[in-house]
Amino acid sequence: KNRRVCHAAARLEMGSLWEEFNRLGTEMIVTKAGRRMFPTFQVKLSGLDPLADYVLLMDFIPLDDKRYRYAFHSSSWLAAGRADPAAPGRVHFHPDSPAKGAQWMRQIVSFDKLKLTNNLLDDNGHIILNSMHRYQPRFHVVFVDPRRDSERFAHQNFKSFSFPETQFMAVTAYQNHRITQLKIASNPFAKGFRDGDPEPW
């Protein structure tokens, strides 16, 4: 790997919250219009060259070749057949890309603009996923190589990270009621769903 990426390190933010979801079996809503992820994928970067330019991006890979269904009586996911044909593989570029290593390392990098959709014809650039399939988000740091023949070195110029605790099942509606409760309890944007919350005014 290029020396400008070989020391790159990424630490997942809100790791304990991700693990809490992961223990229950994380579910992420996909909608026609696109839905943001919660927990949001956020990382703290270190080991970049402060003066070099980097592009940050994410993609999502299927964890297996199965389609699932939720068995309510046992509160568990069961394989329900072969996976649907894979949705078009898309990447989501962090909107601040490209930027200097110093800028990326200065603050937490948040992929809060990323949206998940199940619309195969989506033209908004959202990540297209199949509902009732399991996915692993992947995060990539790409050094912007100024050399004229940089594509020859493309395979050396990036480093990828995946955090097993961020795996999830794509769903159109939450299946596990404990996931619903944890999302409402921990998502600041879900305040309206909390029982007995005094009105902010």
Side-chain angles (χ1 to χ4, degrees), residues 9-180:
R11 189 189 75 221
L12 182 68
E13 291 294 307
M14 299 193 299
S16 55
L17 183 61
W18 277 105
E19 292 196 347
E20 211 177 328
F21 273 106
N22 190 38
R23 277 196 296 276
L24 296 174
T26 310
E27 299 173 21
M28 293 286 177
I29 297 272
V30 293
T31 63
K32 213 79 170 160
R35 177 72 72 90
R36 293 181 186 205
M37 293 170 68
F38 185 84
T40 307
F41 190 92
Q42 298 178 323
V43 288
K44 186 84 176 83
L45 288 170
S46 57
L48 305 183
D49 178 340
L51 301 176
D53 283 312
Y54 296 89
V55 166
L56 304 188
L57 57 119
M58 285 186 71
D59 65 356
F60 293 73
I61 51 167
L63 269 169
D64 52 41
D65 57 358
K66 296 180 176 64
R67 190 164 43 83
Y68 289 85
R69 65 183 179 82
Y70 192 72
F72 289 96
H73 62 276
S74 60
S75 300
S76 60
W77 288 96
L78 304 175
R82 303 271 309 166
D84 298 333
R90 283 186 171 176
V91 296
H92 173 88
F93 286 85
H94 192 285
D96 295 346
S97 300
K100 299 282 180 218
Q103 184 186 328
W104 290 126
M105 292 188 289
R106 194 173 302 134
Q107 67 253 348
I108 290 166
V109 176
S110 179
F111 281 86
D112 52 357
K113 302 276 191 289
L114 185 157
K115 289 187 177 179
L116 308 177
T117 184
N118 56 352
N119 178 10
L120 293 170
L121 304 175
D122 172 78
D123 57 4
N124 298 304
H126 300 331
I127 297 286
I128 303 173
L129 303 178
N130 287 323
S131 180
M132 307 309 243
H133 291 60
R134 293 183 66 208
Y135 292 94
Q136 170 68 64
R138 290 192 306 185
F139 167 64
H140 310 276
V141 175
V142 184
F143 164 57
V144 181
D145 195 332
R147 289 176 287 190
R148 187 171 285 147
D149 55 350
S150 63
E151 62 278 357
R152 278 181 44 210
F153 308 103
H155 60 288
Q156 302 171 6
N157 286 339
F158 72 94
K159 190 167 183 182
S160 302
F161 303 87
S162 53
F163 303 94
E165 62 270 41
T166 61
Q167 297 172 3
F168 64 86
M169 184 75 71
V171 295
T172 50
Y174 293 126
Q175 306 293 303
N176 180 346
H177 71 96
R178 288 181 303 185
I179 289 287
T180 314

